Amino acid sequence: MSDSSRDTAEGAGWGAHDPGAYKQLMPAEVRRISWLDPRMLWAARNGVLASWFGDPTGRTRGRWVAQRAAAGAPADKVIRRSDPDRFSFMVIGDTGEGDDPQYAVVPGFLAVGQDTSFAVLASDVIYPVGGADDYAGKFFRPYRDYRAPIYAIPGNHDWYEDLGAFMRVFCGDAPPLPEEPAPRPFGRAWLRSRLWHRPRHGAGERLDRARALRGGPAQQAVQPGPYWAIDSGPVRIIGIDTGLLGTLDAEQGAWLREAARGPRPKILITGSPLYVDGEHHPCPIEGGGTVDEIVRDPAHRFVAAIGGDIHNYQRYPVPLADGRTLQYVVAGGGGAFMHATHTIPRVAVGGVTEAGFRCYPLRGDSLAFYSRLYGRRLRLRRLFRITEAEATAVIAERLGIPPTRGPDGPVRITRRIRLVATLLGTARRPDRGARFRLPVRKIYTSLFSPSSATYSPPFFKCFLRLDVSPESVRLRCFAATGNRAQELDPPVEDEVVIPLT
């Protein structure tokens, strides 16, 4: 087994100049996404409009679900598979930017997943707006050699064109919804409608040709809608759709309560993680209650909740009052630009401390990555550049924790290093205060999105493999750096065995 980032700097992908073979998988022409491009931001405006003028996601989702029910989808939305009691499946989140970081994940994903029964895409299948014309290069082409079915839950970006392309690809070629009557003039709904981004006329004309890239009989899967349950072996896997703003409508909430019943152990897959960045986000349900209340209920027998949306890996083993431990996982590192982990404060949430918390990339690697990024973009390399050893040391100093990966020699932390760490939003110990509150740090470290600047390794991407037996679920997080060494033998960055009995 190859070294991971917890073992050596080389295991993290530093110091290597031997890119893997992933570029051979990419199309000749790649339209790169930049979240600094005003045109891109304008196309992705629907989330902001929903927060200002009211969120139409619940109503639209209800129409999609009704359409699929009329077409014969099962009323309980359960996919019943014939997998044996021992099987494996893959989870990969926030994949679809279609550029180097996404394709760098593919060789390792295929190698680790070659004997798995199916895969689940957890959130944001297609960036920037879930358009049908983007599915060829951002879904069908990268995963054409994965020989098993792929199921998916949508993320907020998949909703930016009202989920139309997602429904066509994953839900039995669902036809477009009929247009609704125009809202009354000059109200909030009318303003939202006037500004709403919609698919261009004729979008998706090449979708049928793209489907041929995953046209094998064993690759086919039809799911009953944007949320679903899979009964497979001894477990039930429940996927929920959190829409544009990270909430559930009342109809889906009622379905989730019903789907959570029964003795099967359960795993939740969600587009909005319930624990992330050292905070608890229980996910409200319209009409009352939260998703996390359902997950924690001992009668429902959930053992894990895995969420996309945030582009890295995090795990919180939360102890519950009844003696169980629930594994809350963030798994959005499947291809989109890397969200920083060095901004995560010293963890003390839900009974989880630093001793139990895991993340990838390591905070020090995240800080070193962002220091190089800002140095390039601002043309201030000498000021901003921090080595991975220096970054690890200053993280340990600021958070009051042992270095996650020991340096090869002594490291001197200078005032310049401390200044750069502060400018890049590095967290501090709670008892020492914080230079920036968490939302400000997130905005600050997103000003120069890595997706707009970084097309050479290390990328710090990841994916999950879950091995299920009647006794347990073994969850492993594998790294994908874009370097040949990690491509040939993907390192395990985290592993936990979750008991089912």
Side-chain angles (χ1 to χ4, degrees):
M1 183 179 295
S2 62
D3 285 347
S4 75
S5 67
R6 291 180 170 270
D7 300 317
T8 64
E10 291 75 18
W14 296 115
H17 299 283
D18 186 19
Y22 69 87
K23 283 186 177 290
Q24 300 172 16
L25 306 175
M26 298 176 65
E29 294 185 7
V30 176
R31 181 190 175 197
R32 304 193 189 279
I33 290 177
S34 171
W35 295 108
L36 301 177
D37 185 342
R39 295 170 298 178
M40 196 76 69
L41 295 175
W42 176 244
R45 63 189 178 270
N46 284 1
V48 175
L49 295 175
S51 65
W52 287 355
F53 301 115
D55 184 3
T57 301
R59 178 176 174 81
T60 305
R61 184 188 296 116
R63 296 177 68 209
W64 281 120
V65 169
Q67 182 206 77
R68 293 294 83 207
D76 60 4
K77 301 171 184 60
V78 176
I79 302 163
R80 292 173 172 86
R81 295 181 51 87
S82 58
D83 300 307
D85 282 349
R86 298 180 185 273
F87 75 99
S88 302
F89 70 101
M90 306 291 284
V91 176
I92 184 169
D94 297 81
T95 52
E97 286 197 345
D99 51 15
D100 295 65
Q102 178 179 6
Y103 277 86
V105 178
V106 173
F109 177 85
L110 294 177
V112 172
Q114 60 183 334
D115 62 340
T116 53
S117 298
F118 59 90
V120 177
L121 296 188
S123 179
D124 290 340
V125 179
I126 300 294
Y127 293 94
V129 294
D133 290 335
D134 288 331
Y135 268 86
K138 299 178 182 181
F139 173 70
F140 288 108
R141 185 184 183 97
Y143 309 118
R144 61 183 174 180
D145 292 327
Y146 180 69
R147 296 304 177 188
I150 297 178
Y151 305 97
I153 58 166
N156 56 310
H157 286 268
D158 300 305
W159 269 100
Y160 286 166
E161 291 190 353
D162 293 329
L163 211 63
F166 180 97
M167 296 296 294
R168 286 183 64 182
V169 170
F170 294 104
C171 302
D173 205 14
L177 294 173
E179 287 196 23
E180 291 192 292
R184 292 175 54 186
F186 309 116
R188 295 173 70 209
W190 179 83
L191 287 170
R192 183 185 64 217
S193 176
R194 299 286 291 180
L195 296 171
W196 200 251
H197 170 81
R198 293 177 175 83
R200 67 170 182 82
H201 180 71
E205 292 176 346
R206 299 186 297 274
L207 197 55
D208 287 339
R209 186 169 59 186
R211 289 180 196 273
L213 294 171
R214 278 188 51 83
Q219 295 175 308
Q220 303 312 302
V222 176
Q223 59 191 56
Y227 57 92
W228 40 259
I230 298 174
D231 282 349
S232 183
V235 299
R236 169 169 284 189
I237 303 155
I238 296 179
I240 60 173
D241 170 17
T242 56
L244 284 171
L245 301 182
T247 62
L248 263 61
D249 62 279
E251 180 182 357
Q252 185 180 182
W255 170 85
L256 175 60
R257 291 184 176 96
E258 186 62 32
R261 297 179 186 274
R264 279 179 181 262
K266 298 173 185 70
I267 299 169
L268 181 76
I269 310 288
T270 170
S272 298
L274 303 179
Y275 279 84
V276 61
D277 293 344
E279 298 181 342
H280 181 212
H281 298 272
C283 188
I285 299 173
E286 181 187 20
T290 69
V291 170
D292 201 29
E293 288 173 356
I294 298 172
V295 168
R296 288 170 178 258
D297 187 332
H300 295 155
R301 298 200 63 196
F302 279 91
V303 298
I306 302 170
D309 188 52
I310 302 300
H311 307 165
N312 53 46
Y313 172 82
Q314 301 172 45
R315 180 169 64 84
Y316 300 82
V318 175
L320 302 183
D322 60 8
R324 294 177 300 140
T325 296
L326 261 171
Q327 299 291 340
Y328 291 87
V329 176
V330 178
F337 70 89
M338 187 194 87
H339 277 134
T341 59
H342 66 270
T343 60
I344 301 173
R346 180 167 170 165
V347 170
V349 61
V352 182
T353 65
E354 279 291 325
F357 172 69
R358 294 290 182 271
C359 69
Y360 177 79
L362 301 178
R363 290 181 177 104
D365 290 330
S366 170
L367 177 58
F369 177 96
Y370 268 81
S371 77
R372 288 162 169 76
L373 176 67
Y374 273 74
R376 287 195 303 270
R377 293 303 299 266
L378 298 177
R379 299 184 180 180
L380 294 170
R381 286 181 171 86
R382 294 186 63 183
L383 171 63
F384 272 91
R385 183 181 176 86
I386 301 177
T387 69
E388 55 273 18
E390 291 167 340
T392 298
V394 75
I395 289 287
E397 177 188 78
R398 290 173 73 95
L399 295 184
I401 60 176
T404 309
R405 183 178 65 232
D408 294 332
V411 176
R412 179 170 171 259
I413 305 175
T414 65
R415 285 189 292 180
R416 180 190 68 85
I417 292 172
R418 292 188 179 100
L419 172 64
V420 172
T422 299
L423 291 175
L424 294 180
T426 305
R428 298 178 66 93
R429 287 172 55 177
D431 59 343
R432 294 185 180 180
R435 181 72 62 173
F436 304 111
R437 293 189 180 273
L438 187 61
V440 178
R441 290 200 303 268
K442 285 182 177 178
I443 293 170
Y444 197 76
T445 53
S446 296
L447 286 174
F448 294 100
S449 153
S451 101
S452 67
T454 302
Y455 300 112
S456 59
F459 295 123
F460 298 107
K461 301 289 95 189
C462 60
F463 55 89
L464 307 184
R465 174 178 170 130
L466 289 86
D467 301 305
V468 180
S469 73
E471 299 80 29
S472 65
V473 175
R474 181 190 186 197
L475 183 153
R476 286 177 288 171
C477 172
F478 289 87
T481 67
N483 286 319
R484 187 178 303 276
Q486 288 83 30
E487 187 175 278
L488 295 173
D489 187 9
V492 177
E493 290 292 335
D494 187 34
E495 178 174 350
V496 62
V497 176
I498 306 168
L500 297 185
T501 57

